Amino acid sequence: MTNLTITLDEAIVKQARVRAIHEGISVSAKVREFLAAYAQEGEAQQASAQAFIAAARRSQANRDGARWSREDAYDRPSLGHGGGGA
């Protein structure tokens, strides 16, 4: 493990120590948890995006290759607003 020196407001450290005691964990352990999650967040998002793209490629939802235009998105029946567009 590597030691890390940081500068924090003394009041924040005191509050963190009190909360950590109530949670049965050390402040160092909480900082480790936070930094691990922070460092791996980008990796998790990238993995999720890749899984989504893979699922979309396997999908049979648009096997005929239909293409949609922006106009198609707005060419739909009104939901009781008495007419077409906004």
Side-chain angles (χ1 to χ4, degrees):
M1 285 209 177
T2 299
N3 286 330
L4 173 68
T5 302
I6 59 174
T7 304
L8 299 167
D9 185 295
E10 189 175 334
I12 298 286
V13 174
K14 285 180 182 179
Q15 290 174 331
R17 284 183 178 148
V18 169
R19 183 168 177 184
I21 288 169
H22 282 74
E23 294 179 4
I25 193 166
S26 71
V27 172
S28 291
K30 287 306 276 186
V31 171
R32 271 194 303 274
E33 286 178 11
F34 170 77
L35 286 177
Y38 178 74
Q40 295 170 358
E41 182 177 288
E43 295 173 14
Q45 288 177 347
Q46 186 175 8
S48 294
Q50 289 173 345
F52 175 80
I53 290 168
R57 288 185 175 143
R58 289 189 307 269
S59 172
Q60 295 295 311
N62 188 20
R63 63 179 166 241
D64 297 332
R67 298 279 186 211
W68 298 86
S69 68
R70 182 167 191 216
E71 290 76 27
D72 292 330
Y74 293 100
D75 186 23
R76 60 183 184 260
S78 174
L79 299 175
H81 297 291

